Every structure is written in C-alpha cells, then in structure tokens.
Amino acid sequence: MIKDIYNGNINVENLPIELYNSTANKLLSGVEAGAKIDYINFEFGELGKETALLLRENVYLFSGAKTFNYVLETQNLIIRDDKIIPYKEFEQLALEVDEKFNKRWLQVEYNDAQISAKNKLDWQNLQNSQDAFPLLRYVAFMDKNTSEICRRLNGIVKPTNSDFWVKYKPQNHYQCRCDLEPLQENEAVETNLKAKTLIEPTPYFSNLDNDTIFNKLHPYFDVDKKYKAYAKENFNLPIPKLNEQSS
C-alpha cells in the first residue's frame, strides 16, 4: 500500500477500500464485544436492531474518515521543498505513519468502541428500569490511575432521568472504567452539586448523541473545507449492506 501511495495509485481521491473495510470490521468487533451483539448473524440482543445499525453506520463513517486521514498524512510526505523525496526515505516515514494509524491508534479505537458500546447497553437498561431504580450513583474505579474527571464525579447521586447524566454518564475520557449504580429511592439522597467542582469530560467522548460510537468532535471528522463535500459522501467509500459486510 505504501508503494501505491508513493506511485499515486492510492491517494485521497482513490482510497484503499480494503483498509477501510478491515478498519471497520476491527472496530465493529469491539462494538459486538461491548454490546453483546453479532452483526453477521443478525443478533442485536438487548441493544436492539435500530440502535445497533446506527452504531454500525457510525463506525463505517469513522473508518472512512480514518482511512482518508491516514492516506492524506502519508501522501503529504512525498513532497519536501517542492521536490519528490526518494522512495526509501519516504518508505521509512510512511511506515511510521502506518504504525501510528493502523496499529497503535486502531487498538485505542477498538478499546473505545468496546467500552462505548457496553456503556450504551448499560444506559439503555438503566433507563428501562428507572421505575424500580429512580436514582443512579456514579461509581469510579478508584486507584492511582483514576482520572481527576472521574475522581470528582465519584459518589454523585442524581435521578435516573436527570439531564446531568446526558453530559456525565461514562465514558468521560479514554479507557474510562466507571459505572452507574442503580438505586431505589430510599437508598440515597440526591447530591447537591453546588458543593462539587467538576471537570468537563473529554470532548471526543461526549455523551450527547447516544447513536454514535465516535462523535462528530473526533479530529478525523475535522477535514479541510475543500474536502467537506467529499466527507459528506463518506469519501466515496460504500457502507455495505449487512449481508454484504466484508470479512
């Protein structure tokens, strides 16, 4: 693939569909693990078909944006000081970009997909049981690695239907290990937030849209204005029908 980028066979206007599909499949496997679903066998579990398909579409859109950014960054290495650099020099630089996008960051994104999908399933179940459990308590996993965001949220109790959770339900940062504990009305008292100084969640993990794994604030989606229309078409990369999903 690196040689094809150098030769111009792959570029931002002709993205590698094999990489796009393999990226999407990797991330979808994270969604499946987190939400206990199976796309290939049309098993949508408690998450439900509608939500599962919306998450799948979001993963493909994210994978398209990721593939575009990878090719763009690699392609931009070819020219230096208005000259084409030798292939061997380009190859070394391009391998570093490949390692970053398609190994290190992909694993991070897989972890995010798994955690986010689990949290969406948990949140759906909490909402469905709010008659029995009208309160929720934020439970942070407390150790030396606990983020300051979650340390300050730990122990907060709010009604299950409170707008507070729209912003602060897990995950609130990368690798957030927190949960929400359902409580009956007589088990706790609502927290007075005036006594709390909270920290804004990491924007990439904004909870405002429950039908996405990767929200619109992710840097991959922030393309130059000349590519905006192209991005709206998912960079001309097809989202396969479920029964056509690439292996």
Side-chain angles (χ1 to χ4, degrees), residues 147-195:
S147 75
E148 191 59 29
I149 294 173
C150 295
R151 193 177 296 278
R152 298 189 188 191
L153 286 166
N154 187 48
I156 287 179
V157 175
K158 282 288 179 183
T160 302
N161 61 1
S162 171
D163 288 344
F164 175 83
W165 301 119
V166 174
K167 184 174 184 179
Y168 288 107
K169 66 180 182 289
Q171 62 179 328
N172 286 304
H173 58 86
Y174 172 58
Q175 295 284 58
C176 181
R177 300 168 292 167
C178 301
D179 283 310
L180 297 178
E181 178 187 5
L183 301 169
Q184 295 181 345
E185 195 167 7
N186 61 354
E187 290 185 283
V189 177
E190 182 177 351
T191 301
N192 181 359
L193 293 179
K194 292 181 180 179

Side-chain angles (χ1 to χ4, degrees), residues 229-241:
Y230 187 37
K232 287 182 179 180
E233 300 299 322
N234 196 30
F235 308 95
N236 290 338
L237 294 166
I239 298 177
K241 295 179 182 178

Side-chain angles (χ1 to χ4, degrees), residues 137-155:
R137 177 188 286 132
Y138 195 100
V139 181
F141 190 97
M142 302 295 286
D143 62 14
K144 65 179 182 179
N145 295 318
T146 304
S147 75
E148 191 59 29
I149 294 173
C150 295
R151 193 177 296 278
R152 298 189 188 191
L153 286 166
N154 187 48

Side-chain angles (χ1 to χ4, degrees), residues 26-35 55 58-59 62 66 104-120 170-177 202-207 212-215 218-220:
K26 171 75 173 179
L27 299 178
L28 286 172
S29 70
V31 175
E32 291 178 317
L55 298 184
N58 173 251
V59 166
F62 179 84
K66 177 180 174 68
R104 295 200 312 273
W105 286 0
L106 183 59
Q107 185 58 49
V108 167
E109 291 149 5
Y110 170 88
N111 293 341
D112 290 344
Q114 183 174 6
I115 293 169
S116 181
K118 175 187 177 299
N119 287 335
K120 290 181 190 304
Q171 62 179 328
N172 286 304
H173 58 86
Y174 172 58
Q175 295 284 58
C176 181
R177 300 168 292 167
T202 305
Y204 306 164
F205 301 98
S206 168
N207 291 303
T212 64
I213 293 294
F214 303 100
N215 71 38
H218 195 284
Y220 288 163

